[in-house]
Amino acid sequence: MGADDTGRIVFDGVVNGSRHVAPGRSSSSIDIVACTDAVFYIVGVVADRVVVRDCRNCRVVVGCCLGEVLVESCQLVTVSAVTRSLSIATSVSCTLFALCREPIAVQADCRNVAVGPFNAPFDGSDDIDAASLRYVVAGSTDASPTDVVRPVDPAEFIMAPVPIGHPPPSPFPLPDAYQQALSVRESRWRSLLARLNDPSVPRADLAQARAQADTQFRKWLEASGEITFLEALHQNRYRVVS
């Protein structure tokens, strides 16, 4: 990691690690370049831009960017951002969870980009209003628009809270379809937990329910990117920029 007197922070070549720009740490811009299997929590305010370039299998959370977030030449990257504008170019199989003032710009040279509402609540995010999902395809292509970008299926939408500080005191606002899908999933979890705590459930059924809970929790860890954070924390590969 490097930082200069202008407030620019660069994360270059991070592999199998996690980095956290702490609340209260303001920066002019942040560059995340050529990183693999890494997680970045940028909770401090970024005045100008955040650039994610040439990365693979990374998760990036941007709590507040007053300018723009740019994703370029990435694969299997997930970005959760609150920002004025967000664009992605020359990228494959990436997912953007965003709350933007402007429509998300997806360049036509992208493939299999999924777009969903912001999904990474943090302390203070309860002040954010719910927003409709807006995106545009920029440029020309012979590919079908759905090969370039699609909305995240509400049934596949997950919340991925930032494991820093305190959770927001109230539920995070979401578009109706996504909120309804989460409510259904939460109801199923409550039923499963009630079954696990019911002393009348036969031992064999209880073991099956525990296995089901373990499997679902593992899927959530992998889908949310939290497993990378936990592994980095366990192996002392977690760094805070304060």
Side-chain angles (χ1 to χ4, degrees):
M1 186 210 79
D4 57 30
D5 294 337
T6 67
R8 179 171 178 255
I9 298 173
V10 178
F11 298 104
D12 191 351
V14 177
V15 178
N16 294 323
S18 182
R19 301 293 185 269
H20 164 208
V21 179
R25 169 64 188 261
S26 297
S27 54
S28 61
S29 65
I30 293 180
D31 290 74
I32 301 171
V33 183
C35 298
T36 304
D37 299 325
V39 178
F40 301 88
Y41 298 109
I42 303 169
V43 185
V45 176
V46 183
D48 186 13
R49 65 169 54 182
V50 176
V51 177
V52 184
R53 181 184 297 116
D54 296 324
C55 293
R56 178 181 173 84
N57 197 33
C58 292
R59 180 187 176 212
V60 180
V61 175
V62 181
C64 180
C65 179
L66 303 179
E68 57 185 346
V69 176
L70 308 175
V71 181
E72 301 173 345
S73 303
C74 290
Q75 184 175 4
L76 298 171
V77 166
T78 298
V79 175
S80 302
V82 177
T83 179
R84 178 180 60 80
S85 68
L86 171 62
S87 64
I88 182 169
T90 324
S91 297
V92 177
S93 299
C94 292
T95 305
L96 310 176
F97 295 106
L99 182 61
C100 295
R101 182 177 300 174
E102 302 173 3
I104 299 168
V106 181
Q107 295 297 320
D109 59 0
C110 293
R111 293 294 181 270
N112 193 33
V113 172
V115 177
F118 185 66
N119 69 333
F122 56 93
D123 191 13
S125 63
D126 51 304
D127 295 328
I128 297 173
D129 294 329
S132 59
L133 199 57
R134 301 180 300 156
Y135 58 86
V136 296
V137 176
S140 59
T141 177
D142 294 332
S144 166
T146 55
D147 290 336
V148 177
V149 60
R150 61 175 177 82
V152 171
D153 186 338
E156 299 174 355
F157 178 78
I158 61 170
M159 297 298 286
V162 176
I164 298 161
H166 303 286
S170 59
F172 191 78
L174 292 168
D176 289 344
Y178 293 91
Q179 187 60 62
Q180 291 170 6
L182 286 182
S183 296
V184 169
R185 196 176 307 151
E186 182 179 352
S187 177
R188 291 173 180 168
W189 268 109
R190 286 177 178 172
S191 297
L192 179 59
L193 291 175
R195 189 179 178 193
L196 288 172
N197 293 320
D198 186 349
S200 66
V201 174
R203 182 172 298 180
D205 292 347
L206 188 61
Q208 183 181 12
R210 285 174 176 167
Q212 182 183 356
D214 289 344
T215 298
Q216 293 302 316
F217 182 59
R218 179 75 183 191
K219 287 181 178 179
W220 177 83
L221 284 175
E222 293 175 348
S224 66
E226 296 303 312
I227 192 168
T228 303
F229 169 77
L230 292 175
E231 290 173 348
L233 191 65
H234 176 67
Q235 299 176 20
N236 196 28
R237 289 184 278 103
Y238 177 59
R239 301 289 183 270
V240 177
V241 181
S242 57

